[in-house]
Amino acid sequence: MALYPTNNIAGSNAVQDNVNSVYLTDTRLFDFYKSLHNRPEVTTGELAAKWAELSSQHQRYNTTLLSHEAMTSAFFSAISVPDKLLRIKSVFPDCYIVLIIREPRDWLMSQYTDHPFVPTNLGGGPPCTFDTWVNLFLTEPGLEKAREALNYHQLISRCYGMFGESKVTVLKFDWLRSVPERFCNSWAELFGVSATFVAEHLSQQHENRGLSGIYNKLRQRQRKHILAGLNAPLTSKLWALHQLKSLPKTQYALTASTEALLSDYYAEPTIKLKNLMGW
């Protein structure tokens, strides 16, 4: 179960395009999932009752995998990380936690690629450069919880304390590039399959292709109302725009001063992470 189980933002999540996706064909699963990580008004008791009903109707599946960055990130969510972990623990007391963490700069670039607008108002704010985006992210009041999401040492320690160290595995997303065999071996051990099986599937699947730089420039122009005469829901369906989405992603650069600000901000958490994990 994941918010974008097949193609993420760059593709289609329409049910007719993903007939084998249980998550997409059962809207109650979507509602449960959103309630789990983003609806504080839904109590853990209500969540547990919902899950008992849903799981009884999906008994042919003996493993439930919940996967979404919002489970630990407060960036797009109103519930704090400790509260989310407690909700997960309450509904799934015997669950196993797998954390895949990412270098802060790469995480920030990914967020900017999907949302190239000021981070204080992604839904309606003006477009901005990657440099401005990161500066605002690190300094603006109101984004404290978002910044805390990249304090991995604190996140891992909380998971250890709540679920037990033996029930938590931490992987680095960067290993997929630098030491893919380490990532594959760890994942294979977790799920009881061969590392070759994992490697083959990872080489074929690209769930989040992201959005191209050209497409993002168009989105920014639309936000500035330069293309206000075009109907956005209609234009998003045009074949040409769909092709623009899938062009190569842009690698955005930061100025030296912003790089230094980012490094300084996460210097201490990075050291604590290395000490905790022994990396």
Side-chain angles (χ1 to χ4, degrees), residues 140-177:
E140 277 294 300
L143 293 179
E144 292 85 359
K145 289 182 179 180
R147 293 189 282 270
E148 184 182 313
L150 297 180
N151 186 342
Y152 298 129
H153 166 268
Q154 188 177 72
L155 168 63
I156 296 166
S157 297
R158 282 172 173 160
C159 288
Y160 282 172
M162 189 167 294
F163 299 95
E165 192 168 338
S166 63
K167 300 292 288 290
V168 179
T169 289
V170 183
L171 306 176
K172 292 186 71 174
F173 185 83
D174 313 82
W175 289 346
L176 283 169
R177 287 193 303 262

Side-chain angles (χ1 to χ4, degrees), residues 30 49 53 129 200 236 250:
F30 177 86
E53 178 185 357
T129 65
E200 288 176 350
S236 64
T250 298

Side-chain angles (χ1 to χ4, degrees), residues 259-272:
E259 286 279 13
L261 179 65
L262 179 60
S263 297
D264 289 345
Y265 193 94
Y266 288 110
E268 184 177 350
T270 299
I271 293 173
K272 289 183 177 180

Side-chain angles (χ1 to χ4, degrees), residues 187-194:
W187 200 254
E189 184 178 347
L190 278 171
F191 288 95
V193 296
S194 72

Side-chain angles (χ1 to χ4, degrees), residues 35-40 74 77-81 83-84 87 145:
S35 298
L36 182 67
H37 71 74
N38 203 26
R39 291 176 181 158
S77 181
I79 308 177
S80 70
V81 170
D83 285 343
K84 288 180 183 180
R87 287 160 74 86
K145 289 182 179 180

Side-chain angles (χ1 to χ4, degrees), residues 100-102 171-185 187 198-199 201-203 205:
I100 301 178
I101 63 176
R102 193 172 191 177
L171 306 176
K172 292 186 71 174
F173 185 83
D174 313 82
W175 289 346
L176 283 169
R177 287 193 303 262
S178 58
V179 281
E181 64 281 357
R182 183 174 184 178
F183 191 98
C184 293
N185 288 337
W187 200 254
V198 176
H201 280 71
L202 285 175
S203 67
Q205 302 298 321

